[in-house]
Amino acid sequence: MAGPPTLRELPPDYTHPPPTTAPQIPTGNPKAPLWLRTYFQGLLFALGCSIQRHCGKVLFLGLLAFGALALGLRVAIIETDLEQLWVEVGSRVSQELHYTKEKLGEEAAYTSQMLIQTARQEGKNVLTVEALGLHLQAAFTASKAQVSLYGKSWDLNKICYKSGVPLIENGMIERMIEKLFPCVILTPLDCFWEGAKLQGGSAYLPGRPDIQWTNLDPEQLLKELGPFASLEGFRELLDKAQVGQAYVGRPCLDPEDLQCPPTAPNHHSRQAPSVAQELSGGCHGFSHKFMHWQEELLLGGVARDPQGQLLRAEALQSTFLLMSPRQLYEHFRGDYQTHDIGWSEEQAGIVLRAWQRRFVQLAQEALPENSSQQIHAFSSATLDDVLHAFSEVSATRVAGGYLLMLAYACVTMLRWDCGQSQGAVGLAGVLLVALAVASGLGLCAMLGIAFNAATTQVLPFLALGIGVDDVFLLAHAFTKAPPGTPQQQERMGECLRRTGTSVTLTSASNMVAFFTAALVPIPALRAFSLQAAVVVGCNFAAVMLVFPAILSLDLRRRHHQRLDVFCCFSSPCSARVVQILPQELGERTIPVGIAHLTTTVQAFTHCEASSQHVVTVLPPQAHLVPPASAPLASELFSPRGSTRDLLDQEECSRQKASFEAPPCACWNLAHFARYQFAPLLLQSHAKALVLVFSGALLGLGLYGATLVQDGLALADVVPRGTKEHAFLSAQLRYFSLYEVALVTQGGFDYAHSQRALFDLHQRFSSLKAVLPSPAAWAPRTWLHYYRNWLQGIQAAFDQDWASGRITRHSCRNGSEDGALAYKLLIQTGNAQEPLDFGQLTTRKLVDEEGLIAPELFYMGLTVWVSSDPLGLAASQANFYPPPPEWLHDRFDTTGENLRIPAAQPLEFAQFPFLLHGLQETADFLEAIEGARAACAEAGQAGVRAYPSGPPFLFWEQYLGLRRCFLLAVCVLLVCTFLVCALLLLSPWTAALVVVVLAMVTVELFGVMGFLGVKLSAIPVVILVASVGISVEFTVHVALGFLTSQGSRNLRAAQALEHTFAPVTDGAVSTLLGLLMLAGSNFDFIVRYFFLVLTALTLLGLLHGLVLLPVLLSLLGPPPEVVQMYKESPRVPSPAAAQDSGLRWESSPSLPQAFARVTASMTVAFRPPPLPGAYVHPASDEPTWSSVATPTADTSGSPSARASCPAAE
């Protein structure tokens, strides 16, 4: 081989030729798509060049704008109200809830504080005197809770809910009753005298010890007070309520107690009662008629003998009812105790929550650690605390996640060659994305979108992982400029032109995905989806506008040879560029057919002091070898230009400079993708294995999807191992009871629809989930109570009429009930003639069919509400509008007193029920469907009604959740197809991408089944969002394949080579962002977010980098352009080729007019010296004073860094 030519052999007028590319001839007729993409890329190019020219200004203005938006976080509102978070927007439940609040107000009638006692040894019987004694100890300790707020002391007797306090005309008796009237406490202790110890009221009468429920005998007290006051009405009230001797007539749990009253059945025998016998059938409060606590409310895990007798139980429950904040405010408004503190409803709520927390604390500490029993306490304040803790932002986890991301971005973008290192860019990119996330959330706060647990616990990490993906993509693309790009003027423009389409497509797909997820009509998840979409939009703006400015500033740093990260210091290793002058092949060197061109060059280098570039001259000596036996191998290892050959085939060990990179610096993800991954993946047997594995994975996903159950219990949200979780688990296991109500609306005539109302109640009572009432206990509906009361006063009237105590013109001598009936019977409802005494014997208050006389219905309602407070309270009717107050005086028979004002037509009333046995979501749905069917039947009879309660608020969404999920996914896949087809301009490619996305969604659904994740609104949002998130792993590969040239295998390999590194880095960054979720205290966050999103990331990576390239290599669309080399008119003959040292072989598969050349090059060179180093001139090296212009090329212009291949 001839020696290398000297520089003097070059023509004196030789100049570096401009880089050229071979003609690109479109295949088919895709001119319009190419033109559109070219136009869009032209806009991106102009944007990048403009940003690079004004990078400082863009960076300053961008940071200023994002910082201003981030200030919106100061007005963020965190929503923790379960109804506001989980009730389906626009649903019938939402409309019904709005109707209820419109009529009754925002709050329930009372709040519940619960104690559940179980044995530490699971399954042990608690129906023993010892266990009941420990339950008394815990309940008594908790009931004595006191808190001091606003200079006042608040105890149970002040804030508890008292049902049906009667109005008594006698002031002394009224004050005594107000102090003594018992709190509503549903407890198994009420079967015994010890239940009175939980009641804290007391009263004082001269000459008597303090009156408490532990020593109060109402019958004896009335006898003693009879001579001093007229208590006939009060005595009748107690008789109707069947108060009797109250607690002092019940057995003592501990007969040895010195306070055990002599009236107790076992006081004299001193024998302990049979706990199971006493608790069988439930207990009563102080009123046997109106306060019956069913057994299911008190005992859990019961066992019975074949005759149905209670034998044992595994749990006890006591429930303390407190007033709502509004009730407490109204109760003490204007009272002397609160007149000096500016009493408000907000203060009432603070008092209640403080007392509830103290109650729970005392209950949990009541029993010693070595006790055989354990107490689980819970209150509505505890639930609020759990939800607040669940919604709080963990600064430690957020900081840890972002520090991990910063470390990874810095390390993965650092290079041994300081000229190509981008560690500072990685740090700045992560910080920029963090600012973009904060600005997006701040914008949402300013738009009034409330935050919730999903926003605070998940979105910061998820958005960071998604946003950093595009940062890696731009940074990888920026390290390598295309052919002929000026280093300073157009570098950023070319970067955006090459990657902007992918970034736009992924961001648009993510935004469409989250906006589509907002179709799920659950407020918490709708807010999360909208916030995620806004944050993705802010990330997109930051990556496309501000991050290019950061890259442009880093380019200046590299140009001035400054250290990475520590840019104030000069770099010890300046960029060492080898400039290779291109040599045009002579006419005799054009091959015909497919050949592998190998050129060996002995390159002499010269370092010009001004440019510090090395120029290498390539002599036109080459030889052709037959193509390799493996077609893909010859294509993959035949680079598109000399730059890659120079970089890839150079060995670091041959560098002789004073600076040597370590061997590990020669390996990176792009190197792995090109030399190991792509050749292995795109072999025929590997493709077959990938398809079989993907099919099996899809099958497993479909099977796992069948395992997914619906539901989300509160116990799944509360952290495991906490006292709150222990209570919820015990409650779900032993006391799965739910208070519900059957609400009747306005719009129909209650008076003439009584039969339909009774039928509705009967249908509802017959539902499987409705807890049946004991046969001996009065029904729990206001209409029954009302009718029975009317029948009672009608019977009293009949007796008084028959005995002559009531006559046509007087009722003074009759009983209280008889006088009430007298006044009702003479009502006509006519304003002109309101009274008709002739009706006394011609009409009845209730007819033979058990229906109330329609003309007396609303007047009788006024009388019942005013005269039977205990019955009204027990019915829980909650009338709206409330009937007017009316005071009865049987001695006042004037015309005005005889007139009874009629209540207004009812617009709201309710029948209370208890649902039991609801464990699984299917049980809830069965109960919901049965209740809705009963209401629909009543609607045909003209009665407008709906069910209300927690099961209907939080479980009815599951009736249509799967349908909503399927609709959202289908809509999203269609939208993704349209977006991809629009930006890729290839429906074929878009269809393949959508198929892969659908597979990821199905397989993720199956993973949820195997992980035991139940389907609720939260997993639905993740599944819907998975379509958009998976686009990050697929669209870059698809776009790279679409814009490459060559065969399908070659294009798939090229796409992998250029996208493997950024896609993998993006996946790792997402996993690092999610990693901090694994440390959450809430198992719900770990299972429903960390595990599911981690599975999504791994599935997306697997399908994007393994399955999609295989599908593209088999089914991908043809290339948009192909590069052709026209045959020279003077083709060398074989002989001539042999004379010149060329060996060629014609290919019968190609037309004779074209030939395709794949070239590789091995270059031996002497590396340039470091800047500032002393250079010893070599005698055999020519001198050259010309200046070469450095260029970077990926297709034909031979210039490159002389270091090892850098990650792409």
Side-chain angles (χ1 to χ4, degrees), residues 265-316:
N266 61 342
H267 173 75
H268 300 289
S269 64
R270 301 294 179 178
Q271 292 183 355
S274 171
V275 174
Q277 183 178 352
E278 295 293 338
L279 290 176
S280 181
C283 300
H284 296 86
F286 80 97
S287 168
H288 279 254
K289 181 177 181 180
F290 298 118
M291 295 184 176
H292 177 262
W293 320 138
Q294 290 179 260
E295 184 182 297
E296 290 80 2
L297 292 170
L298 310 177
L299 306 178
V302 298
R304 303 179 185 276
D305 62 15
Q307 288 73 35
Q309 296 297 320
L310 180 64
L311 293 179
R312 61 193 312 275
E314 297 180 8
L316 302 171

Side-chain angles (χ1 to χ4, degrees), residues 61 99 101 114 213 353 579 665 676 680 682 950 1025 1075 1104 1137 1180:
L61 293 177
Y99 184 86
K101 290 183 176 181
M114 290 165 283
W213 282 103
R353 287 190 291 272
Q579 179 65 37
Q676 282 86 34
L680 177 64
L682 297 177
L1075 183 62
D1180 58 343

